[in-house]
Amino acid sequence: MPFHTFLARTPLAVIVIAQLFGTSLWFSVNGVGLALQEAVGLSESDLGLLTIAVQAGFITGTLLIATTGIADRVRASHLFAISAVLGALINAAFIGVAESVTLAAVARFATGLCLAGIYPLGMKLVVSWTPRHAGAALGWLVGMLTLGIASPHLLRGLTLHLPWQWPLLLASLLALVAALMIFKLGVGPHLPATAKSGRPWAGLAAFKQPRFRAAALGYFGHCWELYALWALVPFLVARELERLGAASGAQPWLSFAVIALGLPGCVLAGKWSRHIGSDRVACVALATSGALCLVYPLLGSASPWLLLALLGVWGVSVIADSAQFSALASATAPAERLGAALAMMNAIGFGLTIPSIALVTALWSSQSLAVIWWLLPGPILGLIAMRGFSSHQHLAKTVRDNR
């Protein structure tokens, strides 16, 4: 089968695989974090700073493409491809500046800027090809994002006896492949390829819609918890391996497994959403991860195997709601400003990840498992916000039934 025919027949598969490859840049440094601590003397706080730098770059980038209208004025496939190529080059350049925390943070910030052209635009591409059952389709996309974020730990496990630079170079190679795949695919037929104009701050207009606003607020609560937990996973896994007296070489493999479990979580949540709705699925997942936020620190002296099992459950639930929030937002935002609206929602949500990551990485050495309680406000406030979505949905149904 010719390559262009394959692309035309399997657009969703192409997009989600490209998302996997492109987002391998996100936590590429975290995957070699322990090796960097040994090789160049980075501390846990330094690693936290590098993670925050990526988030800050992503936030800046999403704000830029949302406020300037680039997200809707430039073809999504072209912006994705350009961002992936630049991200690959900058990620590889990190190797040369890793010994300087300042320069390393700048490189990670620039990588985050590029990721802003990958993740939100990937969502827009999915909607452009598969507008029906967006929750299920975006479940695959966010699942691949999760696997992409976990992949640096896998790459480190596969290259454990090689220098730490290898996983970063492999992540850059994957991003280049992603750029080629999306550039060849193009934009689907169900959304305009570009908007006629790019009114500044167009993405904010979507927040006038009560249901979009409720879904976005639920997403913000989810974001407060998600990336901080992912930043903690290597430390949480290492703690239990130490209690078991197991080899430290298992740490990257287990860290990958915990985060990668989000892939089946997202896919199953997407399928479930077709039967009971994205809003209910999102609330169940958010409530599950919130309950784990509450009880996990209380079980610190329990069996390491139990805590590792709970980490696996957490890995499934903590990301399962993400695609559903995006699907709800996509369904309630103006179609002609969908790229800007999603980028703006991402920018605000990821802005909230910075203080949560800073808290847990700075306080881990002194508070250990108790730092997890700093994540609990996110699920609580997110669930409260989603009550607004349900009430507005009921109101809309009542109005339709009375017509």
Side-chain angles (χ1 to χ4, degrees):
M1 181 187 299
F3 185 59
H4 62 86
T5 304
F6 170 77
L7 292 178
R9 291 184 180 180
T10 58
L12 179 60
V14 172
I15 296 167
V16 298
I17 293 172
Q19 184 87 336
L20 162 62
F21 290 171
T23 53
S24 65
L25 302 174
W26 211 311
F27 269 32
S28 60
V29 170
N30 298 72
V32 295
L34 296 180
L36 279 173
Q37 286 181 293
E38 296 176 2
V40 300
L42 294 182
S43 66
E44 293 168 353
S45 295
D46 292 334
L47 290 175
L49 173 63
L50 297 182
T51 304
I52 289 170
V54 178
Q55 303 299 89
F58 179 82
I59 294 159
T60 304
T62 49
L63 281 174
L64 179 65
I65 64 174
T67 57
T68 60
I70 292 175
D72 296 303
R73 294 174 63 186
V74 178
R75 289 180 66 90
S77 55
H78 291 175
L79 187 54
F80 185 110
I82 293 169
S83 300
V85 170
L86 291 176
L89 296 175
I90 295 167
N91 184 66
F94 173 88
I95 294 171
V97 299
E99 294 185 2
S100 168
V101 175
T102 301
L103 293 177
V106 171
R108 296 307 291 161
F109 178 87
T111 303
L113 282 174
C114 296
L115 286 164
I118 296 175
Y119 179 39
L121 275 298
M123 287 193 288
K124 183 177 180 180
L125 284 166
V126 164
V127 175
S128 77
W129 284 99
T130 56
R132 296 186 63 192
H133 306 302
L138 288 171
W140 277 101
L141 185 79
V142 177
M144 285 302 185
L145 163 72
T146 306
L147 196 59
I149 286 175
S151 64
H153 298 290
L154 174 63
L155 294 175
R156 183 53 183 163
L158 292 171
T159 61
L160 195 58
H161 300 294
L162 295 174
W164 61 265
Q165 293 90 341
W166 276 89
L168 272 74
L169 293 174
L170 290 174
S172 291
L173 178 61
L174 291 176
L176 292 176
V177 174
L180 177 62
M181 293 173 67
I182 292 297
F183 186 80
K184 292 286 188 180
L185 176 66
V187 180
H190 299 291
L191 285 176
T194 61
K196 293 182 179 179
S197 63
R199 182 169 53 86
W201 301 98
L204 287 176
F207 284 88
K208 296 178 181 178
Q209 304 295 328
R211 294 177 67 204
F212 177 89
R213 187 167 61 247
L217 291 173
Y219 175 77
F220 298 159
H222 151 81
C223 285
W224 175 269
E225 176 196 15
L226 175 63
Y227 278 82
L229 175 65
W230 279 347
L232 279 178
V233 163
F235 302 114
L236 294 171
V237 168
R239 178 185 186 271
E240 303 316 316
L241 289 178
E242 183 178 355
R243 293 173 67 208
L244 287 169
S248 60
Q251 187 267 345
W253 292 100
L254 282 175
S255 297
F256 167 76
V258 169
I259 300 175
L261 281 170
L263 171 58
C266 287
V267 173
L268 291 174
K271 291 183 177 180
W272 195 17
S273 72
R274 299 177 67 172
H275 301 288
I276 67 170
S278 291
D279 55 330
R280 293 181 180 178
V281 173
C283 288
V284 169
L286 196 57
T288 302
S289 61
L292 286 166
C293 280
L294 178 63
V295 304
Y296 194 94
L298 300 175
L299 300 173
S301 58
S303 165
W305 292 111
L306 173 62
L307 290 177
L308 287 173
L310 287 177
L311 271 182
V313 175
W314 208 345
V316 172
S317 62
V318 74
I319 186 63
D321 49 356
S322 186
Q324 305 315 310
F325 285 126
S326 297
L328 295 171
S330 298
T332 52
E336 70 278 7
R337 297 293 174 221
L338 179 59
L342 291 177
M344 185 64 70
M345 187 179 80
N346 285 162
I348 298 172
F350 278 81
L352 294 171
T353 69
I354 290 181
S356 63
I357 291 172
L359 278 171
V360 298
T361 54
L363 298 177
W364 169 257
S365 59
S366 60
Q367 295 188 7
S368 188
L369 294 184
V371 301
I372 291 173
W373 282 326
W374 290 103
L375 306 183
L376 190 55
I380 291 175
L381 296 176
L383 288 169
I384 293 173
M386 282 301 292
R387 293 179 62 187
F389 186 94
S390 299
S391 63
H392 285 293
Q393 185 178 45
H394 175 73
L395 178 61
K397 183 178 184 300
T398 302
V399 170
R400 289 195 302 270
D401 291 344
N402 290 335
R403 286 177 177 174

